[in-house]
Amino acid sequence: MRLAVVSAGLSVPSSTRLLADRLAAATRRRLAADGHEVDVRVVELRDLAGDIANNLVTGFPSAALEEAVETVTGADGLIAVTPVFSASYSGLFKSFFDVIDNTALTGKPVLAAATGGTARHSLALEHALRPLFAYLRAIVVPTAVYAASEDWGGSGDPLTDTLPTRIDRAADELAGLIGSRRGAAALEAEAVVPFEQQLAALRPE
C-alpha cells in the first residue's frame, strides 16, 4: 500500500512535519497489524515552493513538482498537514492543491491535520481543510487532528494530554478506510468476467 504525506511546514525543524511523521507512523502500524506492507512517501512543500509558484504562472510543472503530484494522486491514502495562518491553511498548502486536478483525489481517503500556536485556531480544520477536500471529492476521515504548542509539552493531565489519543484514533480511521477501499476494489476486479469467458459459457457443449 502507498501512503502519501504532505507537510506544509516552513521551519526546520517543523512541528507540522513532526505531526505528519507521527500520523504516518501510527497509520503504518495499524496497516501493518492488518498484514499490509506500507510504502510511505513524504512531500515536503517547503522544498517545492519555487516550483509551485512557477507552475501557477506558467502552467508547466517542474519534474520535482510533477513527481510530488503523482505521489499524492497515486497513493492509496493521504495525510495532509498544514500550519494555520490567519485562521486557515497556509498559502503554500492551498497553492499545491490548486496544482492538482480537481478530480484527481476523487474517493481518496484523507486525514486532515494542522498545527498552530494556540488551540483557538483548531476550527480551521472544519471550516477550511474539510471543505477543501470535500471540493476535491476526497473522503476525509471523521477525526481531524490539530496540535497547538501546548500539546507537545505534556502536562500529565489526562483531560488535556490527548494528542497521542487523537493521532491513534485518526490513524485507525484512515487505515480502516484504506483497507476497505482496497478490499472493495479487489472484489470488483474479481467480479469482472472477461468477454471471452462469458462467450465460452454461452456455447453449447
Side-chain angles (χ1 to χ4, degrees):
M1 287 187 173
R2 291 172 294 175
L3 179 64
V5 181
V6 172
S7 171
L10 298 179
S11 59
V12 179
S14 164
S15 60
T16 301
R17 177 60 188 271
L18 177 59
L19 180 59
D21 288 343
R22 290 195 179 183
L23 289 166
T27 305
R28 172 185 265 171
R29 285 195 302 270
R30 168 64 197 286
L31 289 169
D34 291 337
H36 301 294
E37 293 185 4
V38 185
D39 177 20
V40 177
R41 298 190 180 184
V42 178
V43 175
E44 190 69 73
L45 297 187
R46 179 179 181 273
D47 300 333
L48 296 169
D51 301 81
I52 293 170
N54 288 334
N55 179 83
L56 293 174
V57 173
T58 65
F60 295 99
S62 65
L65 180 57
E66 192 169 11
E67 181 181 357
V69 170
E70 289 175 357
T71 295
V72 170
T73 57
D76 295 295
L78 170 65
I79 296 172
V81 191
T82 178
V84 172
F85 291 137
S86 301
S88 187
Y89 37 63
S90 71
L92 179 61
F93 183 86
K94 179 60 164 56
S95 296
F96 175 72
F97 285 99
D98 283 343
V99 171
I100 299 175
D101 185 89
N102 62 3
T103 63
L105 299 183
T106 299
K108 190 177 301 296
V110 174
L111 194 170
T115 58
T118 171
R120 290 193 297 273
H121 293 306
S122 61
L123 285 178
L125 286 166
E126 303 303 325
H127 70 66
L129 268 76
R130 200 176 290 277
L132 170 65
F133 288 111
Y135 169 75
L136 295 173
R137 302 178 178 87
I139 303 173
V140 185
V141 301
T143 301
V145 180
Y146 180 85
S149 298
E150 59 265 26
D151 286 318
W152 300 107
S155 63
D157 183 350
L159 295 178
T160 58
D161 288 353
T162 62
L163 182 58
T165 301
R166 288 182 279 128
I167 287 174
D168 287 341
R169 183 167 63 243
D172 284 349
E173 292 168 357
L174 180 62
L177 194 55
I178 293 172
S180 62
R181 189 166 181 260
R182 282 287 295 268
L187 288 174
E188 184 178 345
E190 290 176 4
V192 175
V193 180
F195 176 74
E196 293 80 4
Q197 187 175 335
Q198 296 180 46
L199 192 61
L202 295 175
R203 291 172 183 159
E205 294 293 338

